[in-house]
């Protein structure tokens, strides 16, 4: 039996070497292959948020890349005026930071408040607020998934489903213009 074990072990070693080579090749291909269909998209050159339609559109110049459903601040009508009004701003901003460790599933910080926003709040005797983000769902949800899917629930941010914000995060860089329309 020891004589028969030698050829069997040799075949097993050859087979393991072949499989090892295949695994190395597959893992190197996986390292350069897109993680999913979204990452094959070109980088976005601008973002349009249409509050009245609860829609975020990603553009590559004038070409639409993707459209997503969004949730807004609890008080969605009208522009953000002051801190705590739970409204989503309106105007032209930029993405100023990307945060993979947010309290929400990924976040992109919007450049609100700008000079006009700060001046408007000052005239009202208040602070303009800040930390307006495009983000996913809370990492520690306090409501049911249905609530987040059907309700404007943020404090003034723009929220997407986690899968959607993940795809968005892959193609949006710091500096990308964001137009938030009524």
């Amino acid at each position: 039996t020891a004589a028969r074990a030698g050829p069997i072990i040799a075949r097993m070693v050859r087979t393991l070497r072949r499989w090892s080579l295949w695994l190395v090749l597959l893992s190197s291909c996986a390292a350069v292959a897109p993680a999913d269909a979204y990452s094959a998209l070109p980088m976005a050159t601008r973002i349009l948020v249409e509050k009245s339609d609860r829609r975020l559109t990603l553009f590559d110049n004038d070409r639409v890349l993707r459209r997503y459903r969004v949730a807004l601040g609890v008080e969605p009508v009208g522009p953000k005026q002051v801190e705590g009004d739970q409204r989503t701003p309106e105007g032209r901003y930029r993405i100023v930071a990307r945060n993979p460790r947010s309290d929400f599933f990924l976040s992109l910080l919007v450049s609100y408040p700008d000079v006009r926003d700060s001046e408007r709040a000052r005239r009202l005797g208040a602070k303009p607020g800040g930390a307006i983000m495009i983000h996913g769902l809370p990492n520690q949800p306090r409501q049911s998934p249905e609530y987040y899917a059907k309700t404007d629930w943020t404090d003034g941010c723009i929220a997407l489903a986690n899968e959607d914000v993940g795809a968005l995060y892959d193609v949006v860089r710091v500096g990308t213009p964001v137009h938030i329309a009524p």
Side-chain angles (χ1 to χ4, degrees):
T1 58
R4 286 181 34 202
I8 293 171
I9 292 173
R11 270 197 312 264
M12 289 174 56
V13 168
R14 282 193 302 273
T15 302
L16 285 172
R17 284 184 184 150
R18 267 187 295 212
W19 279 105
S20 296
L21 178 60
W22 277 110
L23 287 173
V24 167
L25 287 171
L26 287 173
S27 64
S28 65
C29 290
V32 296
D36 57 34
Y38 292 114
S39 50
L41 290 175
M43 296 307 291
T45 58
R46 65 186 172 102
I47 299 169
L48 172 64
V49 177
E50 297 164 285
K51 289 174 52 174
S52 60
D53 293 333
R54 303 302 188 276
R55 180 174 57 209
L56 182 149
T57 306
L58 275 182
F59 289 91
D60 174 18
N61 296 310
D62 290 330
R63 188 180 74 153
V64 172
L65 296 175
R66 287 272 193 259
R67 287 195 167 99
Y68 303 100
R69 186 197 172 287
V70 299
L72 303 171
V74 173
E75 297 292 333
V77 178
K80 183 162 196 61
Q81 301 280 318
V82 296
E83 184 174 59
D85 66 7
Q86 296 188 316
R87 291 184 178 173
T88 301
E90 295 173 4
R92 294 186 182 276
Y93 305 97
R94 291 197 172 274
I95 298 299
V96 294
R98 296 163 41 91
N99 185 355
R101 292 183 178 88
S102 168
D103 289 341
F104 300 88
F105 181 77
L106 303 175
S107 66
L108 299 164
L109 183 63
V110 175
S111 62
Y112 177 89
D114 64 14
V115 172
R116 287 183 307 245
D117 299 319
S118 295
E119 180 58 29
R120 179 177 51 235
R122 188 189 64 72
R123 282 193 311 269
L124 295 170
K127 295 178 182 177
I132 299 298
M133 297 173 274
I134 299 171
H135 60 68
L137 300 179
N139 293 331
Q140 302 291 319
R142 295 184 185 154
Q143 302 289 338
S144 70
E146 294 79 27
Y147 174 83
Y148 293 115
K150 296 179 181 180
T151 308
D152 287 318
W153 57 270
T154 76
D155 289 337
C157 294
I158 300 153
L160 291 82
N162 287 351
E163 179 180 315
D164 294 342
V165 81
L168 184 94
Y169 197 85
D170 285 345
V171 298
V172 173
R173 297 290 171 243
V174 169
T176 303
V178 179
H179 178 198
I180 305 172

